[in-house]
């Protein structure tokens, strides 16, 4: 897999691919970042962007992880002390998932977001952004947006200024971050900063086939025990032969197959014996054909997800 293919793997959108190609041709070690709002457990939806950071590190990018404690505070996720403690926990998780602690720049928002330079740029960008635009940009990420606080309208403005002052070339995030990233692309040049490239990853389905939600407990957390993971996977939505909107297959596509070149499904001889697949494309075809039973797919997902999470559990 060449450099560009690695960057594009499991990505929903690049804004724009032409600019990305130009960046790779002109800069040996571009800079990319993801901002994480410390607000609770790290689940596999978060890990999807961590996986993309791992791809970018392999592709020669310098990586910054913003532990956005001030953003979490503004989005009503706890006191500054509480969100800072959560941020420390998040950092340990990200390193355990494979980010190189020596080569990854971990930054706390509170380390620079209260400076006069930062705040002046935030105020400048508020003059260029309508209230409706700020509110729309928060639709996918804000809490209690039916009655938003003024702090939540400042949130996307700050995120744009983060991109500028962290000096990155590429902003990475889930597709739910798209409106905020577009605000940054359009607004930052007016302040004298370059518009960032944007790489957006898909939003994972919850294990029940619906939108992933902490209230529904339909997600896998990185600190789930083996017993908890087994219980969740047993109940996971996984219709036989269905490859679209199948959350168990998504685990293989986005988390397991990028880490393991070959996956082996252990089955009794009476059910065909062990079955191996090299890469997600082969696995999807085998499942669609009916050769692999949903329960065997679930058991395989449980095995490999435990292998991935064992490293995280050991440091928490």
């Amino acid at each position: 897999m060449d450099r560009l293919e690695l960057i594009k793997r499991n990505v929903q959108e690049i804004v724009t691919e032409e600019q990305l190609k130009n960046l790779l041709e002109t800069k040996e070690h571009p800079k990319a970042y993801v901002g994480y709002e410390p607000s609770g457990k790290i689940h596999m939806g978060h890990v999807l962007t961590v996986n993309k950071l791992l791809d970018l590190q392999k592709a020669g990018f310098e990586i910054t992880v913003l532990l956005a404690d001030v953003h979490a505070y503004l989005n009503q996720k706890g006191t500054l002390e509480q969100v800072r403690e959560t941020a420390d926990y998040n950092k340990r998780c990200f390193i355990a998932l494979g980010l190189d602690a020596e080569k990854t720049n971990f930054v706390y928002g509170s380390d620079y977001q209260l400076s006069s330079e930062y705040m002046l740029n935030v105020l400048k960008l508020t003059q260029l952004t309508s209230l409706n635009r700020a509110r729309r940009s928060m639709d996918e990420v804000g809490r209690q947006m039916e009655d938003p606080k003024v702090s939540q309208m400042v949130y996307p403005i700050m995120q744009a200024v983060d991109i500028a002052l962290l000096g990155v070339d590429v902003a990475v995030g889930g597709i739910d971050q798209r409106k905020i990233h577009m605000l940054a692309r359009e607004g930052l040049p007016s302040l004298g900063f370059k518009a960032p490239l944007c790489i957006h990853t898909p939003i994972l389905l919850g294990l029940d086939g619906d939108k992933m939600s902490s209230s529904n407990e339909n997600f896998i957390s990185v600190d789930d025990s083996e017993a908890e993971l087994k219980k969740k996977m047993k109940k996971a939505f996984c219709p036989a032969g269905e490859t679209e909107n199948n959350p168990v297959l998504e685990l293989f596509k986005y988390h397991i197959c990028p880490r393991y070149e070959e996956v082996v499904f252990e089955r009794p001889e009476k059910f065909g014996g062990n079955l191996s697949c090299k890469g997600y494309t082969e696995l999807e075809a085998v499942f669609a054909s009916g050769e692999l039973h949903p329960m065997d797919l679930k058991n395989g997902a449980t095995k490999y997800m435990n292998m991935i999470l064992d490293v995280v559990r050991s440091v928490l």
Side-chain angles (χ1 to χ4, degrees):
M1 187 176 296
D2 68 21
R3 195 182 187 196
L4 183 60
E5 287 177 324
L6 188 60
I7 295 168
K8 291 172 63 177
R9 177 170 66 175
N10 289 336
V11 163
Q12 183 165 334
E13 178 186 54
I14 297 176
V15 184
T16 66
E17 188 170 333
E18 182 180 345
Q19 290 176 303
L20 174 61
K21 290 176 180 178
N22 182 63
L23 178 66
L24 296 177
E25 291 171 357
T26 57
K27 201 167 187 178
E28 185 176 0
H29 297 292
K31 297 180 180 181
Y33 106 112
V34 174
Y36 294 100
E37 183 184 291
S39 58
K41 291 179 178 290
I42 296 296
H43 56 66
M44 302 315 294
H46 298 110
V47 179
L48 190 55
T49 51
V50 174
N51 292 344
K52 184 44 53 187
L53 293 182
L54 293 172
D55 287 342
L56 291 169
Q57 261 185 348
K58 291 177 185 176
F61 278 69
E62 296 178 11
I63 299 300
T64 293
V65 172
L66 172 61
L67 301 164
D69 50 351
V70 177
H71 281 85
Y73 173 69
L74 293 177
N75 205 16
Q76 306 181 71
K77 299 296 178 68
T79 66
L80 280 172
E81 292 75 19
Q82 289 170 332
V83 295
R84 181 62 181 250
E85 184 177 339
T86 304
D88 291 337
Y89 161 78
N90 289 174
K91 178 181 177 180
R92 295 195 302 273
C93 292
F94 297 147
I95 292 172
L97 286 164
L99 284 175
D100 191 320
E102 299 300 320
K103 295 181 180 179
T104 305
N105 181 30
F106 288 95
V107 179
Y108 294 91
S110 54
D111 289 344
Y112 72 95
Q113 289 173 342
L114 305 179
S115 70
S116 57
E117 179 189 10
Y118 183 88
M119 292 310 302
L120 181 57
N121 279 295
V122 168
L123 293 175
K124 287 180 179 178
L125 193 51
T126 62
Q127 288 188 311
L128 303 174
T129 308
S130 72
L131 185 59
N132 284 338
R133 178 70 184 277
R135 181 167 183 165
R136 286 199 310 272
S137 69
M138 286 293 288
D139 284 345
E140 301 294 329
V141 298
R143 173 174 286 187
Q144 298 174 355
M145 290 304 294
E146 67 279 358
D147 184 27
K149 300 295 187 290
V150 174
S151 64
Q152 291 170 293
M153 299 301 96
V154 177
Y155 184 113
I157 307 295
M158 290 177 59
Q159 193 165 332
V161 176
D162 289 335
I163 293 169
L165 295 194
L166 289 173
V168 298
D169 303 295
V170 179
V172 181
I175 195 67
D176 58 340
Q177 298 286 321
R178 189 182 197 282
K179 292 178 182 178
I180 295 178
H181 286 166
M182 294 307 102
L183 187 154
R185 277 179 63 86
E186 294 168 22
L188 288 180
S190 298
L191 302 185
F193 299 105
K194 63 186 178 183
L197 282 78
C198 304
I199 295 177
H200 298 136
T201 57
I203 302 299
L204 285 183
L205 285 172
L207 291 176
D208 56 2
D210 293 328
K211 183 178 179 181
M212 191 178 293
S213 169
S214 57
S215 59
N216 293 336
E217 297 189 358
N218 60 355
F219 62 91
I220 295 173
S221 170
V222 296
D223 61 359
D224 280 346
S225 67
E226 289 192 25
E228 288 171 328
L229 179 58
K230 184 176 181 179
K231 182 179 179 181
K232 288 181 178 181
M233 289 305 306
K234 189 175 182 179
K235 296 189 298 182
F237 177 70
C238 186
E242 292 290 331
T243 59
E244 296 293 325
N245 300 318
N246 185 324
V248 181
L249 273 179
E250 284 194 351
L251 291 175
F252 281 96
K253 181 176 182 178
Y254 296 115
H255 296 297
I256 297 170
C257 290
R259 292 173 183 259
Y260 301 95
E261 292 183 0
E262 182 179 26
V263 291
V264 179
F265 298 91
E266 299 169 3
R267 306 184 300 186
E269 287 298 327
K270 64 179 180 179
F271 294 128
N274 291 355
L275 176 68
S276 65
C277 295
K278 293 184 177 180
Y280 178 75
T281 301
E282 181 179 344
L283 169 59
E284 185 181 83
V286 167
F287 185 72
S289 73
E291 186 179 351
L292 186 64
H293 190 275
M295 188 53 67
D296 293 319
L297 187 73
K298 290 182 182 184
N299 289 339
T302 302
K303 178 180 76 171
Y304 285 101
M305 289 305 302
N306 268 319
M307 291 167 62
I308 293 170
L309 299 184
D310 271 347
V311 183
V312 184
R313 296 176 186 132
S314 68
V315 301
L316 297 179

